Structures are given as C-alpha cells and as structure tokens.
Amino acid sequence: MNIERSEDSEGGWIQWFCSLEDHQFFCEVDEEYIKDSFNLYGLKPKFFHYDEAYEMILNEAPEEEDLEDEHFLELYQEATDLYGLIHARFILSPKGLALMRDKFLLGKFGTCPRVLCERQNVLPVGMSEELRTSRVKVFCPRCEDIYIPKKKCPDVDGAYFGCSFPQMFLQVPFLYLADLEDVELHRLVPTAKHYSLRASRLRI
C-alpha cells in the first residue's frame, strides 16, 4: 500500500487520494454527490466503520504523522473501499462520464497492447461488483478484449469501477471519438442485470 503524502496534493482527502501513485484511474467525486444519501443507498451495511470512513472522505488530507498511525491505516482501507464504491456509481453520472472522458482522451488508462488496435485508448473495468474479487482491468473498445493494465495498480479494486462502465461510456453519443468511428458499438449489448462484456478472455 503506497500512501505517501504528495507535495502536489493540496485540499481535502479526495484530492489527496486521487493524487496518490497508481491512482490515475480515479476521478474526483464531487462532495455534493457524496453528501446526497440517495447516491449512497445500500453501502452502509458493507462496512464496520461506515460513519468514520465517510467522515474521513469528506475531511482534510492527512498529515505525515497520520500515515504512521495504525488506527488511521485501518480506517483508511475502509474509506478507500467506500470511496471506491461511490466512485463506481459517480462515473455513471453525467458529470462522472465527462470527467472519465477527459482521462480517456488523454490516455490516462493506457492503450491496448494488441498491435492491430494501433494503440487504441482503453477504459477501466471491474470483473465483479463485489470488493476483493479482482483488481481493476482495462477494456479495449476496438478488439473488445480485457487486459491487465501495464501499471498493475495493486491496491485498486475492480469494484471501484464496476462491470458496466465501458459499455455505458460507449453508449453516450457525445462521448464518441473520431478514432472510434469504426468500432461496432452496437455489439455492446445491455443485459437485464448489467452491460455484458463481449470479451471472454483475459489477456496479459
């Protein structure tokens, strides 16, 4: 777990958290979104210290001494998971989709390793909605396969992005890009539960 304080991260916990190494996939969730209880429905039973984790997320960035405190580190993991699950919901909202679009355009999620995809930008995806099932993976819209990111992101759970993000992202018209015009977007078919991934193999 790499949570060294960054000199470039000023402001609250959210800004600090998103600036950590290997956290480039995250976008900053609006505090207003987090404070709306409707957006947090069903999350509280998943955590032992929900209220404390919630307060940490909305608090200031930690000080150096906090990073050496055992209780802080224990609570930090719960706050990370809570923020991650909120993040998975936020990135499906109009504001979240727009923020992720900016990261996608800049190639912040990486590119497809497949030569025929010509360095197509990829999107983050989870293999499960449940925590601690698998780490985040990336989905290529061109070949429709799933890959392990070049940067392993060891502490980034796939549930922080959910299973349906790439499909939702690609079905929003204003997000389409010129270099995706030849991608068969209609093949990404929604199911009753969530948008199913066409990829059946995990490539490294």
Side-chain angles (χ1 to χ4, degrees), residues 129-145:
E129 306 289 348
E130 298 300 321
L131 291 167
R132 282 171 281 284
T133 300
S134 69
R135 296 172 184 170
V136 66
K137 305 297 187 296
V138 291
F139 173 77
C140 175
R142 196 173 297 276
C143 66
E144 297 184 348
D145 249 325

Side-chain angles (χ1 to χ4, degrees), residues 9-201:
S9 59
E10 297 181 357
W13 187 93
I14 295 173
Q15 291 78 15
W16 166 79
F17 176 80
C18 292
S19 72
L20 293 176
E21 185 179 358
D22 293 335
H23 283 192
Q24 68 274 10
F25 283 14
F26 288 100
C27 66
E28 295 182 11
V29 179
D30 290 342
E31 289 194 7
E32 292 75 16
Y33 184 91
I34 296 174
K35 290 176 180 178
D36 186 340
S37 59
F38 177 82
N39 298 322
L40 310 183
Y41 180 80
L43 295 181
K44 190 169 186 177
K46 297 178 182 291
F47 299 93
F48 291 111
H49 307 290
Y50 175 87
D51 292 332
E52 291 178 83
Y54 177 83
E55 290 299 323
M56 175 179 282
I57 290 172
L58 296 178
N59 214 326
E60 298 299 316
E63 300 295 335
E64 290 288 349
E65 55 268 24
D66 293 328
L67 304 181
E68 300 175 0
D69 181 81
E70 187 174 338
H71 177 67
F72 170 87
L73 294 177
E74 180 181 342
L75 186 57
Y76 167 79
Q77 185 56 58
E78 286 225 355
T80 296
D81 288 340
L82 177 58
Y83 181 81
L85 294 183
I86 296 171
H87 182 270
R89 298 180 178 189
F90 176 72
I91 60 177
L92 299 180
S93 70
K95 175 70 177 292
L97 284 167
L99 291 174
M100 295 297 274
R101 174 184 181 272
D102 292 341
K103 284 181 170 286
F104 176 72
L105 284 169
L106 293 171
K108 294 294 187 180
F109 308 128
T111 57
C112 182
R114 190 177 181 184
V115 175
L116 293 177
C117 289
E118 300 177 332
R119 298 187 61 80
Q120 167 66 54
N121 287 346
V122 294
L123 293 160
V125 66
M127 305 303 291
S128 172
E129 306 289 348
E130 298 300 321
L131 291 167
R132 282 171 281 284
T133 300
S134 69
R135 296 172 184 170
V136 66
K137 305 297 187 296
V138 291
F139 173 77
C140 175
R142 196 173 297 276
C143 66
E144 297 184 348
D145 249 325
I146 299 174
Y147 302 86
I148 294 174
K150 289 182 179 179
K151 294 194 72 173
K152 303 298 184 182
C153 305
D155 64 337
V156 181
D157 198 299
Y160 300 166
F161 298 88
C163 299
S164 61
F165 170 68
Q167 288 65 43
M168 292 292 290
F169 182 92
L170 293 169
Q171 291 197 21
V172 179
F174 79 88
L175 295 173
Y176 292 172
L177 308 173
D179 67 342
L180 287 180
E181 288 179 353
D182 61 336
V183 176
E184 297 180 58
L185 298 175
H186 65 276
R187 292 178 62 196
L188 301 171
V189 184
T191 64
K193 185 176 181 181
H194 59 72
Y195 289 79
S196 62
L197 292 171
R198 295 280 303 191
S200 59
R201 301 179 303 281

